[in-house]
């Protein structure tokens, strides 16, 4: 077997493991969000939780997420080193990060009210907002220790992935969902139909926050046990700051964290404006999860196997192969994200109704969330393509370029938010983010072109344009079938809504497959062969 064949088989195996594990985690995440929607709809408790979760969630995504800066920095460095060097390096980084984040946790607890005011100043202007604010402060204080846990989880993700352990890191987020679902289940058994009653709004908020914290603790403990068994570091305090590997990790981690943090500041900006629109925060969260579910799965399938490859091809003599791998990542993103984007735009209303519309989540809530979902769906491709490019810069040891671009994007996002929210309301905030992601992707490509002494623009752009055209035709077909189904059969029951989604979606995917498979793109062939291997025996 040639080395190339071994690598291809290895990547295929890793992608399969990551896909299955991430899918399981995302399904549990969706069920968790369904439970929150059924219990609290888009009311006070759900709104408060979304504001309170901004900072803990920001830290969990920024520091603890797969493909986050901690994960990327650890993988980029450990992938180039012997396993015997891992434990001292991991323990030193854990000591440093844990100490810093312990201070952050104390600050969050003491100044929770100040942070909620900063995140959502509009809450102080109405009676509804004041009630939301009070619950959010209590929730933030409960969830503050997630700051420490986020850093430890991120280091664990990177350490296990660098040691070719992919299943546990990818599946571990489901434990957070399980604890929240369990907490809501107990609350529902105790309160029954009164779970969304005003007098129990604070209790519901405390259950949500406590379940979220418990889930993060459980996720970290499970990862930690795997680290210990593999000899990849313990909780030993180590202050060996002069290790060469420590400097290498911090060189990537510092700018990468700041760069990714700049992206999350855009979320702060969105919520700043959303705080003046009742129920907007909850709607953005519900819609965001529907987009993040496929994005998260496909992101992990593409990025997790490719990140170590990018790192190993960082030397100038390997740049030809590196460019080929970058093209593979971007085109696999286009093959998967563009048709999904077209289908989700055209089927936004039935998707939201099927997933969320029950109990406290009514038809009015479905209309609000659907409008936000359409805006999110438009930007799915550029969101993930930008992530692919950012990881290339990290692999090349350059965290500064994405950071500088992110700083510019903060101001651009604020300007677009201000302009578009007045025209479109809550969906305008998401359209602003899409605009920022488009400019980020273009800027990253331009700087990468200079860094790698030229990119094959024609070979990359023409296939993407062709796939965009195929996706547009798929969207039209999906819209026609969905519209016709609703006119003749209606959509007043869950069964009819499921049939509408299934039929329209299958037709749309069929149209896309018909055109995409005739483009003679190797990435399409790879994707089709993987699907056949999974489902055709």
């Amino acid at each position: 077997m040639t080395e190339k064949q071994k690598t291809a088989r290895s990547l295929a195996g890793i992608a399969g493991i990551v896909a299955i594990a991430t899918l399981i985690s995302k399904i549990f995440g969706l069920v968790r969000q369904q439970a929150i929607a059924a219990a609290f709809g888009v009311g006070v408790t759900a709104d408060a939780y979304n504001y309170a979760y901004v900072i803990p969630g920001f830290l969990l995504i920024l520091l603890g997420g797969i493909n986050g800066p901690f994960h990327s920095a650890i993988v980029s460095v450990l992938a180039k080193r012997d396993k015997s060097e891992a434990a001292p390096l991991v323990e030193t980084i854990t000591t440093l990060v844990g100490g810093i984040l312990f201070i952050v946790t104390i600050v969050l607890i003491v100044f929770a009210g100040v942070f909620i005011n900063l995140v959502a100043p509009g809450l102080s202007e109405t009676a509804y907002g004041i009630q939301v604010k009070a619950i959010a402060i209590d929730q933030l204080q409960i969830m503050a220790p997630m700051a420490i846990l986020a850093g430890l989880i991120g280091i664990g993700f990177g350490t296990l992935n660098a040691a070719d352990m992919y299943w546990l890191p990818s599946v571990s987020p489901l434990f957070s969902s399980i604890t929240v679902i369990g907490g809501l289940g107990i609350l529902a058994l105790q309160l029954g139909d009164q779970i969304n009653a005003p007098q129990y709004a604070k209790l519901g908020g405390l259950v949500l926050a406590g379940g979220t914290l418990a889930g993060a603790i459980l996720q970290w403990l499970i990862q930690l046990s795997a680290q210990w068994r593999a000899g990849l570091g313990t909780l030993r305090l180590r202050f060996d700051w002069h290790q060469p590997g420590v400097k290498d990790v911090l060189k990537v981690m510092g700018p990468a964290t700041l760069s990714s943090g700049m992206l999350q500041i855009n979320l702060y900006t969105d919520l700043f404006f959303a705080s003046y629109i009742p129920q907007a925060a909850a709607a953005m969260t519900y819609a965001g999860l529907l987009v993040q579910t496929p994005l998260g799965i496909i992101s992990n399938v593409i990025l997790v196997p490719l990140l170590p490859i990018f790192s190993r091809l960082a030397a100038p003599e390997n740049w030809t192969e590196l460019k080929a791998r970058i093209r593979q990542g971007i085109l696999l993103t286009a093959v998967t994200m563009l048709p999904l984007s077209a289908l989700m735009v055209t089927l936004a209303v039935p998707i939201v109704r099927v997933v969320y519309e029950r109990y406290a989540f009514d038809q009015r809530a479905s209309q609000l969330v659907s409008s936000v979902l359409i805006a999110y769906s438009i930007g799915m491709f550029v969101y993930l393509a930008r992530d692919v490019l950012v990881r290339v810069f990290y692999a090349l040891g350059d965290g500064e370029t994405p950071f500088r671009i992110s700083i510019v994007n903060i101001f651009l996002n604020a300007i677009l938010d201000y302009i578009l929210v007045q025209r479109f309301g809550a969906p305008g905030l998401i359209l602003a983010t899409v605009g920022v992601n488009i400019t980020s992707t273009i800027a990253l490509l331009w700087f990468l072109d200079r860094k790698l002494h030229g990119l094959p623009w024609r070979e990359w752009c023409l296939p993407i344009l062709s796939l965009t055209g195929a996706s547009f035709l798929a969207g039209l077909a999906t819209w026609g079938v969905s519209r016709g189904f609703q006119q003749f059969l209606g959509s007043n029951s869950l069964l009819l809504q499921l049939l509408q989604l299934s039929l329209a979606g299958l037709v749309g995917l069929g149209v896309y497959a018909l055109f995409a498979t005739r483009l003679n793109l190797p990435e399409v062939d790879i994707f089709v062969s993987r699907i056949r291997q999974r489902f055709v025996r």
Side-chain angles (χ1 to χ4, degrees):
M1 182 182 292
T2 67
E3 192 65 32
K4 186 174 181 180
Q5 287 172 323
K6 291 179 181 178
T7 301
R9 179 170 294 183
S10 175
L11 285 174
I14 293 170
I17 292 169
V18 172
I20 295 170
T22 307
L23 177 61
I24 293 171
S25 295
K26 292 297 181 180
I27 289 173
F28 275 87
L30 183 59
V31 173
R32 178 197 64 208
Q33 208 65 20
Q34 286 178 311
I36 296 173
F40 307 118
V42 290
V44 172
T45 303
D47 244 7
Y49 179 68
N50 289 308
Y51 288 116
Y53 189 71
V54 167
I55 296 177
F58 155 69
L59 292 171
L60 196 60
I61 294 170
L62 174 67
L63 309 180
I66 295 182
N67 302 320
F70 278 28
H71 171 267
S72 300
I74 294 291
V75 171
S76 297
V77 174
L78 291 186
K80 304 172 185 176
R81 295 178 177 272
D82 189 82
K83 185 179 177 180
S84 61
E85 302 178 54
L89 177 58
V90 170
E91 289 168 356
T92 303
I93 294 297
T94 300
T95 302
L96 175 62
V97 169
I100 294 172
L101 293 178
F102 177 75
I103 297 172
V104 172
T105 297
I106 300 301
V107 171
L108 287 176
I109 293 173
V110 175
F111 297 102
V114 175
F115 285 111
I116 294 298
N117 282 333
L118 290 173
V119 169
L123 295 180
S124 300
E125 298 198 351
T126 64
Y128 173 89
I130 291 171
Q131 186 181 6
V132 170
K133 177 181 171 181
I135 298 172
I137 291 171
D138 291 336
Q139 290 176 320
L140 177 55
Q141 290 175 326
I142 292 172
M143 293 188 289
M146 289 174 63
I148 298 176
L149 294 167
L152 299 178
I153 289 169
I155 293 170
F157 270 144
T159 303
L160 294 174
N161 280 177
D164 291 325
M165 298 170 66
Y166 296 94
W167 170 259
L168 187 60
S170 299
V171 80
S172 63
L174 73 84
F175 299 111
S176 179
S177 299
I178 290 172
T179 55
V180 172
I181 295 168
L184 290 178
I186 294 171
L187 187 65
L189 289 174
Q190 295 295 320
L191 302 181
D193 294 339
Q194 293 295 304
I195 190 172
N196 197 36
Q199 64 268 32
Y200 296 120
K202 181 175 181 178
L203 177 60
L206 298 180
V207 169
L208 280 178
T212 304
L213 176 61
I217 293 172
L218 184 58
Q219 182 180 355
W220 170 62
L221 290 175
I222 290 171
Q223 279 186 308
L224 184 63
S225 66
Q227 266 184 254
W228 286 6
R229 289 196 305 270
L232 297 172
T234 66
L235 288 180
R236 173 186 175 184
L237 296 178
R238 190 185 288 267
F239 302 92
D240 189 5
W241 314 126
H242 300 293
Q243 286 189 66
V246 173
K247 185 179 294 186
D248 292 340
V249 170
L250 295 179
K251 183 180 178 181
V252 177
M253 184 185 290
T257 301
L258 292 173
S259 176
S260 297
M262 296 302 105
L263 297 176
Q264 294 301 316
I265 288 175
N266 290 334
L267 174 61
Y268 285 165
T269 307
D270 293 345
L271 286 172
F272 176 92
F273 288 97
S275 67
Y276 294 92
I277 307 172
Q279 304 176 339
M284 290 164 62
T285 300
Y286 289 131
L289 179 69
L290 293 175
V291 169
Q292 288 299 328
T293 297
L295 265 175
I297 294 169
I298 295 171
S299 170
N300 291 345
V301 168
I302 293 173
L303 291 180
V304 171
L306 281 178
L307 182 56
I309 302 299
F310 290 157
S311 298
R312 291 165 190 148
L313 297 174
E317 61 269 21
N318 297 321
W319 282 357
T320 301
E321 176 66 16
L322 177 61
K323 292 176 187 178
R325 290 295 187 178
I326 298 170
R327 172 200 153 104
Q328 186 181 62
I330 291 177
L331 286 190
L332 283 173
T333 298
V335 167
T336 52
M337 286 291 100
L338 289 173
L340 277 178
S341 179
L343 266 62
M344 292 186 76
V345 166
T346 52
L347 296 174
V349 173
I351 288 173
V352 171
R353 294 191 68 187
V354 165
V355 174
Y356 292 128
E357 195 175 291
R358 55 191 59 88
Y359 301 108
F361 198 101
D362 56 19
Q363 191 169 1
R364 182 181 59 83
S366 290
Q367 292 298 326
L368 174 61
V369 174
S370 298
S371 65
V372 178
L373 177 59
I374 290 171
Y376 267 119
S377 301
I378 291 171
M380 292 175 74
F381 167 66
V382 287
Y383 181 95
L384 187 50
R386 182 208 66 207
D387 272 4
V388 172
L389 295 171
V390 166
R391 268 60 188 185
V392 175
F393 280 93
Y394 292 166
L396 292 170
D398 179 5
E400 294 181 8
T401 299
F403 173 61
R404 292 172 181 171
I405 293 172
S406 298
I407 291 177
V408 174
N409 285 336
I410 290 174
F411 297 99
L412 176 61
N413 188 65
I415 293 170
L416 291 177
D417 273 344
Y418 179 76
I419 295 171
L420 296 177
V421 75
Q422 298 182 57
R423 179 71 180 270
F424 301 106
L429 300 174
I430 309 306
L431 291 174
T433 302
V434 173
V436 167
N437 287 337
I438 291 172
T439 59
S440 296
T441 302
I442 293 171
L444 288 167
L445 282 169
W446 188 77
F447 282 109
L448 192 61
D449 178 74
R450 296 178 62 186
K451 197 173 191 70
L452 298 182
H453 302 155
L455 295 177
W457 291 97
R458 183 183 178 87
E459 294 177 16
W460 291 12
C461 292
L462 289 181
I464 292 172
L465 290 174
S466 300
L467 291 168
T468 302
S471 300
F472 178 76
L473 294 174
L476 284 179
T478 302
W479 177 83
V481 173
S482 177
R483 197 53 190 255
F485 186 100
Q486 189 164 1
Q487 286 185 351
F488 286 102
L489 298 176
S491 57
N492 296 323
S493 69
L494 179 60
L495 178 59
L496 287 175
Q497 293 164 14
L498 285 170
L499 287 173
Q500 178 186 5
L501 268 180
S502 301
L503 182 60
L506 286 172
V507 170
L509 289 175
V511 170
Y512 175 76
L514 181 66
F515 286 95
T517 52
R518 282 160 174 73
L519 296 176
N520 295 322
L521 296 175
E523 290 76 14
V524 174
D525 295 336
I526 290 171
F527 182 73
V528 171
S529 67
R530 298 277 172 80
I531 294 296
R532 286 175 177 168
Q533 288 172 9
R534 296 290 175 189
F535 298 104
V536 179
R537 301 294 181 185

